[in-house]
């Protein structure tokens, strides 16, 4: 109850302030008051003028009567004089008849009276200056009234106190109780008071401005942020914006507030959803939101007229879910992994087993984050391995050492894809006729091959990938294709809509239809081309936001994939390497995922992993190997950090370790880049391990 009274007191104080400042009176209130004042003033002047005219006419009538009476007296006198024999004939000696001037003046006043009686009130148009003056006059009148009432109450209470202090205290208590009751009532319904508009005292010939009779001007659209959190104001805002842009919308439903903005159902009155999608840029301008912050999608598959607008006024992914921790071997590839969080707060579960994936994104679109999400899950599975194929760059980066196969050139990519295709065909040939799909196991795992920069593959490499798309699913040898361009002329074949999982991060408009598999994809609400890729590391923009098509997700819903920090990816990679990874069928027992036998010395295993991380180059300089060794074991290899002879000391220690293990590998001086450096060759290392 105390909260209600407190809110009521605040409301009464606000209302008192509005009354004091005349904020409860609109321009219509003031205009009606001014017009009524004009009418009252005209009435007073009109009545006074009529009275003056009538009075003048009456005076002239009386004057005329007097003149007629005098004339009658003269006539009587003339008769008497003729009877006595004076005989001056006629009336001429005295002048005859009534005064024509009086008659003329009476006629003038009568005409003026008729004119006044026919006169109608003509109001003066209300100007902004008149409204300001009228509001000021009302404010001054209220201030005088408040001062008078306040002074009267104080005098009354002082007089009561002088007569009886007890009675004064009782009256004060009653006043407090009445005020508390008013506050409680106001607290239950704290709506602003809006007094009725005074009625006009006359019927105008034409409609005055700023009155209730005036036709309300068409309301102007306003930014959606001005609507606050009021659904009715949001509904009005959206209706005005749709009307301005010429949208064929018959009804706007009740908006639903979300953490990121508003979900607004609309009913189309004609056309298709594509018409609504085409005016979205204009709507964004009218509502003053970002061009990629307004989406339209089908709301009901059974009703083509039902659509749903999502208006983002806040970042829906400002607080994404934390990246889940996955222990080595704790997952299975046959269970779903979430690609990311949707704008509706739902996860995006996808089963990677037997699913080809295509990821389309411009530079800075967040492709790395999506690839790392998939690779991080696959490498945590006890029944799956990954292949890292990137003919241009670094592939899986921190997770690259976990790959069973690695390629860093178009030629190597051809070889790896050929190996994968052959393995897929071998698996299919080995399965019983009653077995529909390869069943992944720790000793015969599913293979997820990440193929980055797909357009950079050779012609034969692309053909091998297409062949794998056809037969790999049955053998659980699947591809994750990454590309910046999904059109047929770049991909080499119309394969963008073949994978069961299709992911579109910020990309080109030309890529949308091929990936969705419909020429009208944009008209149906697929708008990844409106997302803005990150221009640099300090500005994420829309990087990581995506649309996707999966066996469970067919609607254009905006989603977000959280990035895996590089240091955390490196930590997980080391942890999983240490725990051991699944091995492909046909790999020697005891071998790990990188093909390194367990009996190999630890330093050799470490060097082989370093070569794998760098993409299996022909040779690595000691300086590069030194950086990896320090990162792998700072306690052993980081003792010389900050010293000028750091590389020499690490190289000397490495050479001693290799000699102590019996490998006897010697570094050679080679020209790498523009310098001649001491380096170790991969072939020498492999021969020594064998």
């Amino acid at each position: 109850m105390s909260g209600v009274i407190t809110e009521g007191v605040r409301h009464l104080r606000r209302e008192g302030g509005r009354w004091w400042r005349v904020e409860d009176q609109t321009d219509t209130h003031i205009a009606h008051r001014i017009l009524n004042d004009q009418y009252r003033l005209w009435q007073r002047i009109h009545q006074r003028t009529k009275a003056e005219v009538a009075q003048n006419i009456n005076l002239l009538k009386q004057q005329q009567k007097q003149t007629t009476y005098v004339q009658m007296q003269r006539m009587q006198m003339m008769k008497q004089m003729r009877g006595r024999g004076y005989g001056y004939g006629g009336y001429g000696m005295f002048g005859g008849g009534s005064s024509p001037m009086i008659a003329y003046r009476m006629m003038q006043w009568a005409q003026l009276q008729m004119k006044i009686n026919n006169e109608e009130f003509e109001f003066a148009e209300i100007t902004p200056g008149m409204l300001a003056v009228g509001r000021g006059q009302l404010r001054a009148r209220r201030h005088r009234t408040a001062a008078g009432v306040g002074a009267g109450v104080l005098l009354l209470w002082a007089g009561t106190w002088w007569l009886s202090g007890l009675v004064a205290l009782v009256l004060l208590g009653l006043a407090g109780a009445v005020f508390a009751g008013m506050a409680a009532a106001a607290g239950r319904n704290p709506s602003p008071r809006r007094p009725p508009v005074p009625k006009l005292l006359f019927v105008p010939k034409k409609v005055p401005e700023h009155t209730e009779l005036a036709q309300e001007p068409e309301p102007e659209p306003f930014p959606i942020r001005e609507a606050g959190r009021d659904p009715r104001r949001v509904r009005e805002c959206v209706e005005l914006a749709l009307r301005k842009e010429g949208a064929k919308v018959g009804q706007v439903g009740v908006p639903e507030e979300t953490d990121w903005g508003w979900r607004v159902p609309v009913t189309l009155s004609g056309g298709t959803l594509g018409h609504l999608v085409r005016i979205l840029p204009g709507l964004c301008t009218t509502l003053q939101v970002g061009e990629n912050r307004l989406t339209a999608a089908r709301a009901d598959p059974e009703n083509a007229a039902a659509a749903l607008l999502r208006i983002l006024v806040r970042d829906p992914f400002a607080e994404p879910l934390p990246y889940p921790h996955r222990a080595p071997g704790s997952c299975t590839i046959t269970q779903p992994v979430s690609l990311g969080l949707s704008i509706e707060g739902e996860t995006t579960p996808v089963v990677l087993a037997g699913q080809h994936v295509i990821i389309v994104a411009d530079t800075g679109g967040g492709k790395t984050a999506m690839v790392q999400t998939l690779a991080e899950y696959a490498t945590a599975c006890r029944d799956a391995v990954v292949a890292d194929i990137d003919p241009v760059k670094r592939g899986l980066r921190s997770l690259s050492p976990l790959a069973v196969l690695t390629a860093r050139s178009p030629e190597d990519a051809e070889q790896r894809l050929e190996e994968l295709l052959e393995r897929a065909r071998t698996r299919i040939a080995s399965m019983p006729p009653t077995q529909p799909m390869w069943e992944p196991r720790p000793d015969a795992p599913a293979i997820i091959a990440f193929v980055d920069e797909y357009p950079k593959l050779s012609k034969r490499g692309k053909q091998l990938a297409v062949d794998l798309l056809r037969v790999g699913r049955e053998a659980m040898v699947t591809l994750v294709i990454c590309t910046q361009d999904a059109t047929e002329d770049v991909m080499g074949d119309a394969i963008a809509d073949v994978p069961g999982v299709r992911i579109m991060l910020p990309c080109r408009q030309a890529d949308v239809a091929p990936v969705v598999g419909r020429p009208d994809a944009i008209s149906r609400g697929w708008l990844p081309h409106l997302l803005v890729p990150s221009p640099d590391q300090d500005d994420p923009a829309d990087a990581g936001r995506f649309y996707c098509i999966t066996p469970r997700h067919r609607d254009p819903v905006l989603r977000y994939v959280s990035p895996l920090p590089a240091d955390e990816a490196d930590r997980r990679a080391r942890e999983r390497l240490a725990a051991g990874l699944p091995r492909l069928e046909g790999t020697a027992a005891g071998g790990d995922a990188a093909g390194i036998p367990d009996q190999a010395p630890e330093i050799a295993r470490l060097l082989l992993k370093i070569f794998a991380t760098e993409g299996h180059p022909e040779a690595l300089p000691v300086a590069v190997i030194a950086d990896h060794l320090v990162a792998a074991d700072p306690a052993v290899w980081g003792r010389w950090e900050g010293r000028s002879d750091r590389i020499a000391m690490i190289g000397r220690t490495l050479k001693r370790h290799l000699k102590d293990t019996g490998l006897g590998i010697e570094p050679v001086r080679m020209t790498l880049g523009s310098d001649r450096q001491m380096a170790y060759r991969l072939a020498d290392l492999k021969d020594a391990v064998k």
Side-chain angles (χ1 to χ4, degrees), residues 316-328:
F317 308 114
E319 297 181 1
L321 294 176
Y323 215 94
H325 172 73
R326 299 185 179 99

Side-chain angles (χ1 to χ4, degrees), residues 48 146 197 228 308 332 362 431 481 546 600 673 681:
R48 185 167 61 246
V197 178
L308 181 65
T332 172
D362 278 339
M431 288 191 297
I481 297 175
F546 67 96
R681 291 186 298 195

Side-chain angles (χ1 to χ4, degrees), residues 287-610:
L287 296 174
Q288 294 191 16
V289 297
E291 186 179 7
N292 52 356
R293 299 297 183 260
L294 178 59
T295 66
R298 188 77 64 201
D300 184 355
E302 305 299 326
N303 184 0
L308 181 65
L309 288 175
R310 293 183 177 93
I311 306 172
L312 281 66
V313 296
R314 291 175 293 277
D315 186 357
F317 308 114
E319 297 181 1
L321 294 176
Y323 215 94
H325 172 73
R326 299 185 179 99
S330 61
C331 307
T332 172
I333 201 67
T334 58
Q335 292 297 315
V337 57
S338 175
L339 300 180
L341 195 67
S342 79
I343 195 175
E344 304 294 350
E346 301 171 345
T347 58
T348 312
V350 170
V351 176
L352 293 180
Q355 286 288 359
H356 295 295
V357 181
I358 186 170
I359 302 173
V360 183
D362 278 339
T363 301
K367 173 173 59 67
T368 299
M370 180 60 71
V371 168
Q372 294 258 309
T373 293
L374 300 179
E376 190 280 333
Y377 181 80
T379 56
C381 292
R382 56 184 172 272
D383 52 3
V385 294
V386 300
D388 183 10
I389 301 174
D390 186 343
V392 177
K393 295 182 294 186
R394 295 180 295 165
L396 298 181
R397 301 188 181 184
S398 299
L399 300 177
S400 183
L402 302 177
V404 296
L405 297 173
T406 304
R408 290 292 181 267
S409 67
E411 295 75 21
D412 288 345
E414 279 187 27
Q415 181 179 350
R416 301 297 179 237
L417 289 170
E418 189 171 12
E419 292 175 11
L420 292 172
L421 180 60
E422 184 60 33
R423 185 175 292 274
R425 289 170 174 166
T426 301
R427 284 184 173 184
I428 293 172
S430 67
M431 288 191 297
T434 56
Q435 183 176 337
M437 301 278 287
W438 183 265
E439 297 177 357
R441 306 184 306 273
D443 57 345
I447 304 174
I448 313 295
F450 290 85
V451 183
D452 203 352
E453 297 294 344
Y454 182 89
K456 300 298 183 181
L457 294 177
S458 64
K459 183 176 181 180
R460 182 169 180 271
K462 291 179 180 179
Q463 184 57 52
L464 290 169
V466 171
D467 293 341
L468 258 178
L469 287 174
R470 293 177 180 144
V471 304
R473 186 172 182 273
E474 185 178 349
M476 290 290 175
V477 181
T478 54
L479 298 178
V480 177
I481 297 175
C482 305
T483 180
Q484 295 182 24
D485 192 329
T487 54
E488 181 179 350
D489 56 339
V490 174
M491 298 289 284
D493 209 338
I495 62 170
D497 61 342
V498 172
V501 178
R502 287 163 268 166
I503 301 169
M504 294 170 287
L505 293 114
C507 61
R508 304 179 313 136
Q509 182 173 340
D511 298 326
V512 179
V515 176
V516 176
R518 298 187 62 104
D520 60 345
I522 293 176
S523 297
R524 289 178 169 268
W526 297 93
L527 308 174
H529 60 290
L530 298 182
L531 300 174
V532 179
S534 173
D536 53 61
Q537 293 181 351
D538 297 329
D539 182 7
D542 293 327
R545 302 184 188 211
F546 67 96
Y547 294 81
C548 71
I549 297 176
T550 79
R552 301 186 185 183
H553 309 94
R554 295 287 175 179
D555 296 322
V557 177
L558 188 63
R559 305 171 189 273
Y560 178 73
V561 57
S562 301
L564 177 64
D567 55 348
E568 177 62 15
D570 183 67
R571 188 196 67 77
R572 297 189 184 199
R574 296 178 188 282
E575 182 182 39
R576 292 168 189 178
L577 280 173
L581 298 171
R583 59 183 177 84
L584 290 173
E585 66 274 24
T587 302
D592 66 7
I596 305 173
D598 288 339
Q599 65 271 20
E602 182 61 31
I603 187 62
R605 295 169 57 81
L606 183 55
L607 287 176
L608 286 171
K609 290 173 184 177
I610 292 173

